[in-house]
Amino acid sequence: MEHLKALGIKFVMVAVALFIVLGFWGVPFAEILITSLILTAGAYLLGDLWVFPSFGNWTAAFTDLGLAFAGIWILGALLFPGINLPLAAFVSAAVIAAGEYFFHKFMARKVLNSNNRHVREEAQRA
């Protein structure tokens, strides 16, 4: 149940960030939601459940930056190709990565098992 709550929080965070940034470029809301859903699922599995517990918060936040940048650029080429994709992808990814840093603190406290050293350290700092 905690993973569903975390996925919901992450989805809202990603969707709001993309709505603010991509909305500036006039990307339709439906495309923002599709992009948010795909990014949330991929980043949760890779960044939050594997990279964060294994390598720590900073590494996971930078991984999320790269995942979001590549994901937005690739999905943008398919869903909303008429904008400046490199800039839109970078700004969106930077905003998402900043939110991910704090989301990982939540994950350490409320969701993940504290048997992992990086998770324990992050939970103690939060």
Side-chain angles (χ1 to χ4, degrees), residues 33-103:
L33 286 179
I34 292 167
T35 304
S36 299
L37 186 64
I38 294 169
L39 285 179
T40 298
Y44 190 77
L45 291 172
L46 187 62
D48 301 328
L49 296 181
W50 182 62
V51 175
F52 170 56
S54 299
F55 301 102
N57 196 358
W58 283 104
T59 303
F62 281 113
T63 300
D64 287 324
L65 176 77
L67 284 171
F69 179 71
I72 293 165
W73 197 335
I74 291 166
L75 291 169
L78 300 170
L79 298 173
F80 39 92
I83 67 171
N84 182 354
L85 276 175
L87 182 60
F90 179 75
V91 173
S92 298
V95 172
I96 290 170
E100 289 287 349
Y101 177 82
F102 297 101
F103 179 73

